[in-house]
Amino acid sequence: MTSSTRADSPEAAAPVADVVRVRVPEPGLRQDVRAVKIVLHRELIRFWRDKLRMVSGLVQPVLWLLVMGTGLSNLMASGGAHGDIDLKTFIFPGVCAMSVMFTAMFSAGSIVWDREFGFLREMLVAPVSRSSIVIGKCIGGALVATLQGAVIVALAGLAGVPYDPVLILELLGLMFLGAFALTGFGVMMAARIKQMQSFFGLMQMAMMPMMFLSGALYPLNGLPAWLTVLTRFNPLTYAVDPLRQAVFSHLDLTPALRRTFDPGVTWNGWVVPVWLEILIVVGMGVALMGVAIIEFRHAD
């Protein structure tokens, strides 16, 4: 067959299909920032669409505030002790911190869920740094937890806490910082865990001691020495105390009641200032997020 015959054949005359070129963006700061925004946005969408999660996350804090707080207040009133303060007012900052803690830890646990269903692997092979995924997860989890905690703040009137705009902004800001540290802690734990059952077991083992050793439900003064040491090493302690000091600064209390119910956190008799407590919370959040980033760089 000659060359002219081959050129006139239908196969030779058929047009060649265009090849679609796939361009992978170059890794860089711009892509990492975009990845942070996408992961954060995904956390907000998941939270908004999961109405059952929103409702169930409020059940336990509301029970602590309205049921336990009312019961303890009635008990103290019947005993004639500190009748000028409602126990619901005292535990309100602790309930805000607990609400943030539960939501932040559950947000971090979604990493294990993504790993089980293969979505995490797709994120890890994306042309972005793994640190951007962790940062987006921590900020997104902190924002979701703060939104959940804002519902508890809306119930402040039921606990005798005034609806002062400055106080509300202070509470929301402090809750966000605490949620950031707790989400970093949860992401660090979830970085290597491959089953949700294991994560939930570890989460319960960590959250219950943190809650009861934070001063969320009782003052930290007058405790036994061994229990005092444990409360000072509890990171949640430094998230609860600034919330309580913010609330009590807007209440009209006698100095004796203030010393009893808002003694602050002390180190060998020295009262830790609020700014240092906030710095500790932020430092712990950054450090825990850094450990999570290291864990993710070795994750498969």
Side-chain angles (χ1 to χ4, degrees), residues 126-147:
V128 295
S129 65
R130 296 189 174 187
S131 59
S132 62
I133 299 174
V134 176
I135 294 172
K137 176 66 74 171
C138 291
I139 297 177
L143 186 56
V144 165
T146 305
L147 293 175

PDB file of all heavy atoms in Angstrom, residues 126-147:
ATOM      1  N   ALA A 126      -3.019  15.539  48.584  1.00  0.00           N
ATOM      2  CA  ALA A 126      -3.228  16.816  47.893  1.00  0.00           C
ATOM      3  C   ALA A 126      -1.926  17.607  47.877  1.00  0.00           C
ATOM      4  O   ALA A 126      -1.073  17.447  48.765  1.00  0.00           O
ATOM      5  CB  ALA A 126      -4.330  17.613  48.577  1.00  0.00           C
ATOM      6  N   PRO A 127      -1.731  18.466  46.873  1.00  0.00           N
ATOM      7  CA  PRO A 127      -0.483  19.242  46.760  1.00  0.00           C
ATOM      8  C   PRO A 127      -0.422  20.411  47.740  1.00  0.00           C
ATOM      9  O   PRO A 127      -0.203  21.557  47.365  1.00  0.00           O
ATOM     10  CB  PRO A 127      -0.505  19.721  45.303  1.00  0.00           C
ATOM     11  CG  PRO A 127      -1.954  19.835  44.983  1.00  0.00           C
ATOM     12  CD  PRO A 127      -2.631  18.703  45.712  1.00  0.00           C
ATOM     13  N   VAL A 128      -0.666  20.116  49.012  1.00  0.00           N
ATOM     14  CA  VAL A 128      -0.572  21.119  50.076  1.00  0.00           C
ATOM     15  C   VAL A 128       0.190  20.485  51.227  1.00  0.00           C
ATOM     16  O   VAL A 128       0.294  19.255  51.331  1.00  0.00           O
ATOM     17  CB  VAL A 128      -1.968  21.601  50.556  1.00  0.00           C
ATOM     18  CG1 VAL A 128      -2.695  22.330  49.446  1.00  0.00           C
ATOM     19  CG2 VAL A 128      -2.805  20.429  51.060  1.00  0.00           C
ATOM     20  N   SER A 129       0.727  21.318  52.083  1.00  0.00           N
ATOM     21  CA  SER A 129       1.452  20.782  53.233  1.00  0.00           C
ATOM     22  C   SER A 129       0.464  20.184  54.226  1.00  0.00           C
ATOM     23  O   SER A 129      -0.671  20.653  54.373  1.00  0.00           O
ATOM     24  CB  SER A 129       2.258  21.896  53.912  1.00  0.00           C
ATOM     25  OG  SER A 129       1.393  22.872  54.452  1.00  0.00           O
ATOM     26  N   ARG A 130       0.898  19.142  54.911  1.00  0.00           N
ATOM     27  CA  ARG A 130       0.032  18.499  55.891  1.00  0.00           C
ATOM     28  C   ARG A 130      -0.225  19.398  57.093  1.00  0.00           C
ATOM     29  O   ARG A 130      -1.231  19.245  57.783  1.00  0.00           O
ATOM     30  CB  ARG A 130       0.643  17.174  56.335  1.00  0.00           C
ATOM     31  CG  ARG A 130       0.748  16.167  55.194  1.00  0.00           C
ATOM     32  CD  ARG A 130       1.139  14.789  55.677  1.00  0.00           C
ATOM     33  NE  ARG A 130       1.102  13.826  54.578  1.00  0.00           N
ATOM     34  CZ  ARG A 130       1.271  12.515  54.728  1.00  0.00           C
ATOM     35  NH1 ARG A 130       1.494  12.015  55.930  1.00  0.00           N
ATOM     36  NH2 ARG A 130       1.214  11.714  53.680  1.00  0.00           N
ATOM     37  N   SER A 131       0.682  20.320  57.329  1.00  0.00           N
ATOM     38  CA  SER A 131       0.463  21.256  58.438  1.00  0.00           C
ATOM     39  C   SER A 131      -0.766  22.127  58.190  1.00  0.00           C
ATOM     40  O   SER A 131      -1.472  22.487  59.130  1.00  0.00           O
ATOM     41  CB  SER A 131       1.697  22.131  58.630  1.00  0.00           C
ATOM     42  OG  SER A 131       1.983  22.871  57.451  1.00  0.00           O
ATOM     43  N   SER A 132      -1.052  22.467  56.929  1.00  0.00           N
ATOM     44  CA  SER A 132      -2.228  23.279  56.640  1.00  0.00           C
ATOM     45  C   SER A 132      -3.512  22.532  56.958  1.00  0.00           C
ATOM     46  O   SER A 132      -4.506  23.130  57.388  1.00  0.00           O
ATOM     47  CB  SER A 132      -2.224  23.709  55.174  1.00  0.00           C
ATOM     48  OG  SER A 132      -2.292  22.582  54.312  1.00  0.00           O
ATOM     49  N   ILE A 133      -3.508  21.205  56.767  1.00  0.00           N
ATOM     50  CA  ILE A 133      -4.682  20.404  57.112  1.00  0.00           C
ATOM     51  C   ILE A 133      -4.911  20.429  58.618  1.00  0.00           C
ATOM     52  O   ILE A 133      -6.040  20.592  59.096  1.00  0.00           O
ATOM     53  CB  ILE A 133      -4.510  18.961  56.602  1.00  0.00           C
ATOM     54  CG1 ILE A 133      -4.362  18.953  55.081  1.00  0.00           C
ATOM     55  CG2 ILE A 133      -5.678  18.089  57.028  1.00  0.00           C
ATOM     56  CD1 ILE A 133      -4.054  17.583  54.509  1.00  0.00           C
ATOM     57  N   VAL A 134      -3.840  20.284  59.391  1.00  0.00           N
ATOM     58  CA  VAL A 134      -3.963  20.295  60.853  1.00  0.00           C
ATOM     59  C   VAL A 134      -4.402  21.663  61.345  1.00  0.00           C
ATOM     60  O   VAL A 134      -5.275  21.781  62.221  1.00  0.00           O
ATOM     61  CB  VAL A 134      -2.624  19.887  61.495  1.00  0.00           C
ATOM     62  CG1 VAL A 134      -2.711  19.982  63.014  1.00  0.00           C
ATOM     63  CG2 VAL A 134      -2.241  18.476  61.076  1.00  0.00           C
ATOM     64  N   ILE A 135      -3.822  22.731  60.792  1.00  0.00           N
ATOM     65  CA  ILE A 135      -4.192  24.083  61.213  1.00  0.00           C
ATOM     66  C   ILE A 135      -5.663  24.350  60.896  1.00  0.00           C
ATOM     67  O   ILE A 135      -6.413  24.898  61.721  1.00  0.00           O
ATOM     68  CB  ILE A 135      -3.281  25.119  60.532  1.00  0.00           C
ATOM     69  CG1 ILE A 135      -1.847  24.966  61.019  1.00  0.00           C
ATOM     70  CG2 ILE A 135      -3.781  26.543  60.808  1.00  0.00           C
ATOM     71  CD1 ILE A 135      -0.847  25.826  60.266  1.00  0.00           C
ATOM     72  N   GLY A 136      -6.105  23.967  59.707  1.00  0.00           N
ATOM     73  CA  GLY A 136      -7.507  24.147  59.360  1.00  0.00           C
ATOM     74  C   GLY A 136      -8.425  23.369  60.262  1.00  0.00           C
ATOM     75  O   GLY A 136      -9.496  23.853  60.663  1.00  0.00           O
ATOM     76  N   LYS A 137      -8.021  22.138  60.616  1.00  0.00           N
ATOM     77  CA  LYS A 137      -8.833  21.317  61.517  1.00  0.00           C
ATOM     78  C   LYS A 137      -8.908  21.946  62.914  1.00  0.00           C
ATOM     79  O   LYS A 137      -9.974  21.966  63.546  1.00  0.00           O
ATOM     80  CB  LYS A 137      -8.249  19.918  61.581  1.00  0.00           C
ATOM     81  CG  LYS A 137      -8.929  18.984  62.557  1.00  0.00           C
ATOM     82  CD  LYS A 137     -10.343  18.673  62.154  1.00  0.00           C
ATOM     83  CE  LYS A 137     -10.393  17.736  60.986  1.00  0.00           C
ATOM     84  NZ  LYS A 137     -11.767  17.258  60.716  1.00  0.00           N
ATOM     85  N   CYS A 138      -7.788  22.460  63.424  1.00  0.00           N
ATOM     86  CA  CYS A 138      -7.778  23.061  64.768  1.00  0.00           C
ATOM     87  C   CYS A 138      -8.600  24.344  64.814  1.00  0.00           C
ATOM     88  O   CYS A 138      -9.395  24.544  65.743  1.00  0.00           O
ATOM     89  CB  CYS A 138      -6.339  23.332  65.201  1.00  0.00           C
ATOM     90  SG  CYS A 138      -5.358  21.849  65.538  1.00  0.00           S
ATOM     91  N   ILE A 139      -8.425  25.211  63.827  1.00  0.00           N
ATOM     92  CA  ILE A 139      -9.193  26.458  63.813  1.00  0.00           C
ATOM     93  C   ILE A 139     -10.669  26.171  63.578  1.00  0.00           C
ATOM     94  O   ILE A 139     -11.551  26.755  64.224  1.00  0.00           O
ATOM     95  CB  ILE A 139      -8.643  27.415  62.744  1.00  0.00           C
ATOM     96  CG1 ILE A 139      -7.202  27.803  63.065  1.00  0.00           C
ATOM     97  CG2 ILE A 139      -9.507  28.667  62.649  1.00  0.00           C
ATOM     98  CD1 ILE A 139      -6.558  28.691  62.022  1.00  0.00           C
ATOM     99  N   GLY A 140     -10.975  25.253  62.646  1.00  0.00           N
ATOM    100  CA  GLY A 140     -12.364  24.905  62.387  1.00  0.00           C
ATOM    101  C   GLY A 140     -13.034  24.277  63.595  1.00  0.00           C
ATOM    102  O   GLY A 140     -14.177  24.608  63.934  1.00  0.00           O
ATOM    103  N   GLY A 141     -12.327  23.356  64.263  1.00  0.00           N
ATOM    104  CA  GLY A 141     -12.887  22.751  65.469  1.00  0.00           C
ATOM    105  C   GLY A 141     -13.099  23.758  66.574  1.00  0.00           C
ATOM    106  O   GLY A 141     -14.101  23.701  67.308  1.00  0.00           O
ATOM    107  N   ALA A 142     -12.165  24.702  66.724  1.00  0.00           N
ATOM    108  CA  ALA A 142     -12.321  25.739  67.744  1.00  0.00           C
ATOM    109  C   ALA A 142     -13.511  26.644  67.444  1.00  0.00           C
ATOM    110  O   ALA A 142     -14.267  27.018  68.349  1.00  0.00           O
ATOM    111  CB  ALA A 142     -11.043  26.560  67.842  1.00  0.00           C
ATOM    112  N   LEU A 143     -13.699  26.976  66.176  1.00  0.00           N
ATOM    113  CA  LEU A 143     -14.825  27.838  65.804  1.00  0.00           C
ATOM    114  C   LEU A 143     -16.155  27.124  66.009  1.00  0.00           C
ATOM    115  O   LEU A 143     -17.120  27.713  66.523  1.00  0.00           O
ATOM    116  CB  LEU A 143     -14.674  28.273  64.344  1.00  0.00           C
ATOM    117  CG  LEU A 143     -15.695  29.290  63.816  1.00  0.00           C
ATOM    118  CD1 LEU A 143     -15.701  30.547  64.672  1.00  0.00           C
ATOM    119  CD2 LEU A 143     -15.404  29.636  62.358  1.00  0.00           C
ATOM    120  N   VAL A 144     -16.216  25.845  65.632  1.00  0.00           N
ATOM    121  CA  VAL A 144     -17.446  25.071  65.839  1.00  0.00           C
ATOM    122  C   VAL A 144     -17.761  24.955  67.331  1.00  0.00           C
ATOM    123  O   VAL A 144     -18.914  25.116  67.753  1.00  0.00           O
ATOM    124  CB  VAL A 144     -17.295  23.675  65.199  1.00  0.00           C
ATOM    125  CG1 VAL A 144     -18.380  22.728  65.687  1.00  0.00           C
ATOM    126  CG2 VAL A 144     -17.342  23.783  63.684  1.00  0.00           C
ATOM    127  N   ALA A 145     -16.747  24.681  68.151  1.00  0.00           N
ATOM    128  CA  ALA A 145     -16.959  24.569  69.594  1.00  0.00           C
ATOM    129  C   ALA A 145     -17.413  25.892  70.200  1.00  0.00           C
ATOM    130  O   ALA A 145     -18.250  25.919  71.112  1.00  0.00           O
ATOM    131  CB  ALA A 145     -15.673  24.089  70.266  1.00  0.00           C
ATOM    132  N   THR A 146     -16.875  26.997  69.692  1.00  0.00           N
ATOM    133  CA  THR A 146     -17.293  28.309  70.200  1.00  0.00           C
ATOM    134  C   THR A 146     -18.740  28.600  69.839  1.00  0.00           C
ATOM    135  O   THR A 146     -19.494  29.163  70.647  1.00  0.00           O
ATOM    136  CB  THR A 146     -16.378  29.404  69.640  1.00  0.00           C
ATOM    137  OG1 THR A 146     -15.010  29.091  69.950  1.00  0.00           O
ATOM    138  CG2 THR A 146     -16.714  30.761  70.243  1.00  0.00           C
ATOM    139  N   LEU A 147     -19.145  28.219  68.625  1.00  0.00           N
ATOM    140  CA  LEU A 147     -20.550  28.398  68.238  1.00  0.00           C
ATOM    141  C   LEU A 147     -21.464  27.569  69.130  1.00  0.00           C
ATOM    142  O   LEU A 147     -22.552  28.017  69.514  1.00  0.00           O
ATOM    143  CB  LEU A 147     -20.737  28.000  66.773  1.00  0.00           C
ATOM    144  CG  LEU A 147     -20.056  28.893  65.734  1.00  0.00           C
ATOM    145  CD1 LEU A 147     -20.226  28.317  64.336  1.00  0.00           C
ATOM    146  CD2 LEU A 147     -20.619  30.311  65.796  1.00  0.00           C
TER     147      LEU A 147
END
